[in-house]
Amino acid sequence: MKRMKWVLGLLVVFTLVLSACGGGNEVKDTDAASTNGAAETSKPAEESTSNEEAKTAESDTKVVKYLDQEYTLPAKTDRIVITGAVEAMEDAIVLDVNPVGAITFSGKFPPMFESITKEATSVGEKMEPNFESILSLKPDVILGSSKAKPEVIEQLNKIAPTIPYSHVSTNWESNLKLLGELSGKQEQAEQEIAKYKEDLEEVKTTLGDSLKDKKVLAIRIRAGEMYIYPAGVFFNPVLYEDLGIAVPAEVAAAKAQELISKEKIAEMNPDYVFVQFSPDENKDTPNALEELQNDPIMKNLNTFKNGTAFVNVVDPLAQGGTAYSKIMFLKAAVENLTK
């Protein structure tokens, strides 16, 4: 009897042990299921947060395409700094864009750029950027020059996204459209381009064939010397490409800015000459223009004898191959080439 009681007691204990083990497994399975459920629940939340961050990052930037290059810029590019690119300064006049930082000439903003620099800070001279000044302005985008050295562009990029603004005259439309996009004036840029082309057709109609056999030359005086440029540089595109005037052989042969002597010009004996003279480019030869006009060789040319030599028909700082230069020079050309 005692033995029977002992066996029964042992069976009870054994049963209790098995129950305890089974219960533990159920708890663990429940915990695991709970944990897996939490993981599954949190996963979409993490993905959602990641997607939101990506969308926010995208909305904070924009990609601008310019001359076959893409530039990632802040979504808003209100704070524009122009350094080195006088072409961008000229385009800013056309679109009435006011950069927070701009180029000075001999330490000041010339009258030509007065309309866009009233609240601008100097960021140095044309090819001498003041990096500290640019940094202090916290620009959204910097418009440098395509003529700037790579190390200068690299340094500017450390401050803000930098776009090398083209100095090539054939890119004048792309330049104006770029500034229009950065400033939110795309429509105005398109309108200005269309208007120039309309005005050009009117001028061509007015001139007719009057210049068919005429020699027309654009000259720039620098450091007391006279220079001519290739057909696609300076104001030459307006004369030879837009108006269709015959390109003089000397201009056609020029590869870049080229020194030309008085004797060579005498050989050419042009019918019309447009002379650009800036005191800033002739600091050591301030009387160069006057000396040229009084030179016996020059005075004997057709253009000087006939009163068709024109000095600074547009501001002498104008680069020639920009929307502003083309607009202003076309107006001056039609007024003077009909004389």
Side-chain angles (χ1 to χ4, degrees):
M1 186 68 177
K2 289 183 180 179
R3 180 178 177 83
M4 182 64 69
K5 289 182 179 179
W6 180 86
V7 172
L8 289 172
L10 185 62
L11 288 173
V12 171
V13 171
F14 183 70
T15 302
L16 291 173
V17 171
L18 287 176
S19 298
C21 291
N25 287 337
E26 288 178 2
V27 171
K28 287 180 181 178
D29 290 343
T30 303
D31 289 345
S34 176
T35 302
N36 290 336
E40 291 174 2
T41 303
S42 63
K43 188 175 181 180
E46 289 173 1
E47 289 179 354
S48 176
T49 302
S50 178
N51 290 337
E52 287 300 322
E53 289 175 352
K55 289 179 181 178
T56 301
E58 289 177 3
S59 65
D60 286 343
T61 62
K62 63 183 176 183
V63 176
V64 171
K65 293 182 180 180
Y66 168 65
L67 298 180
D68 299 325
Q69 297 290 325
E70 291 188 349
Y71 300 89
T72 300
L73 310 174
K76 291 185 178 181
T77 47
D78 300 326
R79 298 184 63 80
I80 299 173
V81 162
I82 301 174
T83 175
V86 181
E87 294 81 4
M89 297 274 286
E90 290 192 27
D91 284 344
I93 298 174
V94 176
L95 298 182
D96 192 26
V97 173
N98 295 274
V100 294
I103 307 164
T104 47
F105 296 75
S106 299
K108 59 184 179 182
F109 294 123
M112 174 177 166
F113 301 113
E114 183 179 1
S115 64
I116 62 167
T117 56
K118 292 177 180 178
E119 298 181 3
T121 298
S122 169
V123 292
E125 301 292 292
K126 182 178 178 180
M127 300 308 289
E128 300 174 358
N130 185 322
F131 297 111
E132 291 184 4
S133 178
I134 296 172
L135 178 63
S136 69
L137 292 172
K138 299 179 180 179
D140 297 318
V141 62
I142 299 172
L143 297 179
S145 172
S146 58
K147 293 187 288 187
K149 295 179 180 179
E151 54 266 32
V152 172
I153 298 298
E154 182 180 357
Q155 187 68 23
L156 291 171
N157 265 313
K158 293 178 181 178
I159 299 174
T162 301
I163 302 176
Y165 210 82
S166 179
H167 70 284
V168 180
S169 60
T170 52
N171 292 327
W172 73 276
E173 291 186 49
S174 296
N175 283 353
L176 196 66
K177 289 178 182 178
L178 170 64
L179 187 60
E181 185 171 358
L182 297 178
S183 61
K185 296 187 176 184
Q186 298 98 318
E187 185 176 347
Q188 185 179 343
E190 295 286 356
Q191 290 173 349
E192 293 291 349
I193 292 170
K195 187 176 186 306
Y196 173 78
K197 293 179 178 180
E198 290 173 6
D199 292 344
L200 174 61
E201 291 306 313
E202 290 182 9
V203 171
K204 289 169 71 174
T205 299
T206 300
L207 293 175
D209 295 329
S210 62
L211 301 174
K212 184 178 181 180
D213 300 317
K214 302 295 184 181
K215 283 187 179 180
V216 183
L217 191 64
I219 296 173
R220 193 176 205 164
I221 300 177
R222 282 181 158 176
E225 302 284 358
M226 292 184 292
Y227 292 89
I228 59 173
Y229 295 83
V233 181
F234 196 41
F235 291 100
N236 290 345
V238 177
L239 295 173
Y240 309 128
E241 294 175 18
D242 296 352
L243 293 176
I245 299 171
V247 182
E250 293 77 6
V251 172
K255 302 299 181 184
Q257 175 178 277
E258 188 172 296
L259 181 67
I260 187 168
S261 65
K262 292 176 290 186
E263 290 75 16
K264 190 65 177 178
I265 293 179
E267 287 180 20
M268 296 176 66
N269 198 16
D271 298 289
Y272 294 87
V273 171
F274 292 94
V275 181
Q276 292 295 96
F277 175 85
S278 171
D280 284 335
E281 296 180 332
N282 295 273
K283 292 180 180 179
D284 296 329
T285 54
N287 300 319
L289 176 60
E290 184 179 350
E291 292 172 0
L292 172 68
Q293 292 170 319
N294 293 324
D295 186 277
I297 295 177
M298 300 300 287
K299 289 176 70 174
N300 198 43
L301 301 181
N302 287 341
T303 183
F304 280 88
K305 288 191 295 185
N306 297 332
T308 53
F310 310 108
V311 178
N312 292 345
V313 294
V314 297
D315 194 291
L317 289 178
Q319 299 299 290
T322 68
Y324 174 83
S325 289
K326 291 171 78 71
I327 291 169
M328 300 304 291
F329 190 72
L330 184 64
K331 291 179 180 178
V334 71
E335 291 175 3
N336 295 292
L337 291 175
T338 53
K339 293 182 179 179

